[in-house]
């Protein structure tokens, strides 16, 4: 009897990190009697006088936001990284610590308090991408900034402290562990094959057409073969680009279009504002060429069976390695079939 990926427990290899995920498709048949959470109404005004991120409002630090009309970024008032941390370390036997320096910024996607990415116009998302490009380039050019991490936490479920549409950028001296793992895997493949690991993977996925959620001329969105989260999605450029700054204006439009399409499908899945953590992984800014790197955006959403049932990383996932029940092929098929029109904007 041969292995059936739709029926039998198996492990899948993550080519970008070298790690594995356990898949148990037969468990989707089990009844669910676990935690369920009530849905939260997300109807919000276009302007909230109590919001720290709305135009013209005073933030907790006492700083006043300008009356911005598009995107807006500023240094986080409660940054996790500071630029003036003492250049020092600590060692005591097996105990080691090292200083870390950096800059944390907040990126407001829109002055409209009620919007999220799936509800924004393509032109507005393009401006967000343009600001990401600007921040990646300017922060990455600074001395002692060797990595720039762009990300968004959407929804209270993901620990988002403010519902205003925004993301963050953490730029730091060291290269984070997840990025180091991906750098090693991509560099090894580049040296062995003289080609981009992720680009070759995308070519194979296009040929198989089993896990693709959406695509356009410039970008591909798919549920990766090794996905951990139930409806995890990766967006990557079809061309081999090391970082977001390399995108031409027309490609920036394609990027905006596919971000909107994917996030609309997310909201339509359970007809709820879909929570997720999103991040862009791209070449470090340490001065090296990093020809091996192929930038990509990943969405890690926790919802599993409905708007009230989510995936928890507990037990085996904490002490062994990630595990999932629903196969990535099933997840991709579900997302692919969803409408590209947001459920809240459909006519009766």
């Amino acid at each position: 009897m041969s292995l059936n990926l739709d029926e039998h427990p198996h492990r899948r290899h993550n080519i970008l990190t070298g790690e594995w995920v356990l898949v148990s498709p037969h468990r989707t048949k089990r009844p669910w009697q676990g935690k369920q959470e009530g849905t939260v109404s997300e109807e919000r005004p276009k302007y909230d006088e109590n919001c720290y991120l709305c135009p013209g409002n005073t933030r907790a630090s006492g700083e006043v936001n300008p009356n911005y009309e598009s995107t807006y970024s500023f240094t986080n008032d409660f940054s996790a990284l500071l630029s003036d941390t003492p250049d020092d370390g600590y060692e005591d036997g097996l105990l080691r610590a090292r200083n870390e320096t950096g800059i944390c910024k907040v990126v407001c996607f829109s002055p409209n308090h009620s919007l999220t990415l799936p509800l924004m116009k393509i032109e507005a998302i393009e401006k967000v991408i343009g600001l990401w490009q600007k921040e990646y380039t300017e922060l990455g050019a600074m001395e002692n900034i060797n990595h720039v991490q762009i990300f968004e936490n959407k929804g209270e479920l993901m620990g988002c402290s403010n519902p205003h549409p925004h993301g963050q950028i953490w730029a730091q001296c060291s290269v984070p562990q997840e990025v180091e793992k991906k750098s090693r895997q991509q560099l090894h493949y580049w040296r062995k094959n003289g080609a981009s690991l992720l680009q070759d993977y995308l070519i194979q996925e296009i040929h198989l057409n089993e896990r693709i959620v959406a695509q356009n001329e410039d970008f591909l969105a798919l549920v990766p073969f090794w996905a951990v989260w139930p409806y995890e999605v990766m967006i990557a450029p079809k061309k081999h680009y090391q970082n977001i700054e390399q995108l031409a204006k027309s490609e920036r439009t394609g990027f905006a279009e596919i971000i909107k399409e994917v996030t609309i499908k997310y909201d339509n899945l359970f007809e709820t504002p879909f929570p997720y953590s999103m991040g862009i992984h791209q070449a470090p800014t340490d001065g090296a060429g990093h020809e091996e790197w192929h930038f990509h955006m990943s969405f890690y959403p926790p919802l599993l069976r409905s708007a009230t049932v989510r995936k928890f990383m507990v037990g085996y996932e904490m002490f062994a390695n990630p595990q999932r029940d629903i196969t990535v092929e099933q997840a991709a098929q579900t997302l692919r079939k969803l409408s590209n029109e947001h459920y809240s904007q459909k006519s009766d």
Side-chain angles (χ1 to χ4, degrees):
M1 183 173 63
S2 60
L3 179 67
N4 185 328
L5 299 185
D6 293 325
E7 296 289 340
H8 301 140
H10 61 278
R11 294 197 305 159
R12 298 193 183 197
H13 184 240
N14 184 332
I15 60 172
L16 285 173
T17 64
E19 298 171 342
W20 294 82
V21 55
L22 174 64
V23 184
S24 310
H26 57 290
R27 276 167 52 92
T28 57
K29 300 180 178 68
R30 66 179 178 141
W32 178 262
Q33 292 182 315
K35 181 177 176 60
Q36 298 201 19
E37 297 166 342
T39 56
V40 178
S41 173
E42 286 276 340
E43 289 189 17
R44 301 195 302 271
K46 293 182 178 180
Y47 169 77
D48 183 347
E49 62 181 9
N50 297 312
C51 171
Y52 292 132
L53 301 183
C54 277
N57 286 1
T58 301
R59 304 200 301 270
S61 64
E63 295 288 328
V64 178
N65 296 327
N67 289 308
Y68 63 96
E69 298 180 352
S70 179
T71 57
Y72 169 58
S73 64
F74 62 91
T75 300
N76 197 319
D77 298 320
F78 301 96
S79 294
L81 297 163
L82 301 173
S83 59
D84 58 354
T85 302
D87 184 11
D88 197 7
Y90 171 85
E91 287 196 29
D92 182 8
L94 296 176
L95 310 180
R96 298 176 61 199
R98 183 67 202 171
N99 76 303
E100 183 61 277
T101 58
I103 300 169
C104 294
K105 304 196 79 171
V106 176
V107 178
C108 296
F109 296 162
S110 169
N112 189 328
H113 184 80
S114 68
L115 293 182
T116 54
L117 286 174
L119 297 174
M120 291 172 62
K121 294 182 178 179
I122 297 296
E123 297 79 8
I125 300 176
E126 282 188 69
K127 291 179 181 179
V128 175
I129 295 169
L131 185 54
W132 286 340
Q133 290 177 308
K134 178 177 179 289
E135 293 286 2
Y136 173 83
T137 302
E138 293 182 356
L139 290 168
M142 291 181 178
E143 187 177 1
N144 293 328
I145 296 296
N146 293 312
H147 182 261
V148 178
Q149 181 61 63
I150 298 168
F151 66 97
E152 177 198 7
N153 294 320
K154 179 188 173 187
E156 293 181 359
L157 204 60
M158 304 310 295
C160 183
S161 60
N162 189 312
H164 193 99
H166 75 285
Q168 297 184 58
I169 302 176
W170 291 14
Q172 63 190 101
C173 181
S174 67
V175 178
Q177 292 178 141
E178 285 299 304
V179 179
E180 281 190 332
K181 285 186 281 188
K182 291 187 176 184
S183 289
R184 284 194 298 268
Q185 293 293 112
Q186 291 180 97
L187 183 58
H188 175 75
Y189 190 89
W190 178 266
R191 287 174 173 172
K192 182 179 179 182
N193 300 282
S196 159
L197 170 64
L198 194 51
Q199 188 173 38
D200 281 357
Y201 170 67
L202 296 182
I203 291 171
Q204 183 176 359
E205 287 287 23
I206 291 172
H207 173 72
L208 294 172
N209 196 26
E210 294 177 348
R211 288 167 286 274
I212 294 174
V213 174
Q215 65 176 314
N216 55 36
E217 183 178 349
D218 301 308
F219 283 86
L220 185 70
L222 72 157
V223 181
F225 182 76
W226 54 83
V228 170
W229 295 95
Y231 292 97
E232 180 178 328
V233 167
M234 179 173 69
I235 298 175
K238 292 179 178 178
K239 291 182 181 178
H240 177 207
Y241 290 142
Q242 286 78 39
N243 60 68
I244 194 174
E245 192 274 332
Q246 294 170 306
L247 293 176
K249 187 179 185 305
S250 62
E251 293 168 322
R252 192 165 68 191
T253 301
F255 195 17
E257 289 172 346
I258 206 160
I259 289 173
K260 183 175 177 69
E261 185 171 352
V262 167
T263 53
I264 284 177
K265 287 179 180 293
Y266 272 159
D267 280 10
N268 285 347
L269 179 59
F270 300 128
E271 295 196 348
T272 189
F274 205 75
Y276 59 71
S277 281
M278 173 276 287
I280 300 176
H281 273 165
Q282 50 194 326
T285 57
D286 55 4
H290 290 294
E291 290 181 298
E292 75 281 2
W293 255 92
H294 193 125
F295 96 79
H296 49 283
M297 168 187 277
S298 294
F299 291 83
Y300 298 157
L303 296 185
L304 173 61
R305 296 169 181 253
S306 70
T308 64
V309 177
R310 67 174 182 170
K311 165 73 175 179
F312 289 92
M313 290 292 179
V314 295
Y316 184 86
E317 290 95 345
M318 284 184 167
F319 297 102
N321 62 244
Q323 182 272 341
R324 63 180 295 132
D325 294 345
I326 179 176
T327 67
V328 300
E329 292 77 21
Q330 292 169 332
Q333 183 180 29
T334 299
L335 291 173
R336 185 167 56 246
K337 290 181 177 180
L338 292 169
S339 172
N340 291 333
E341 182 182 5
H342 197 273
Y343 73 91
S344 67
Q345 298 176 335
K346 290 181 180 179
S347 56
D348 295 332

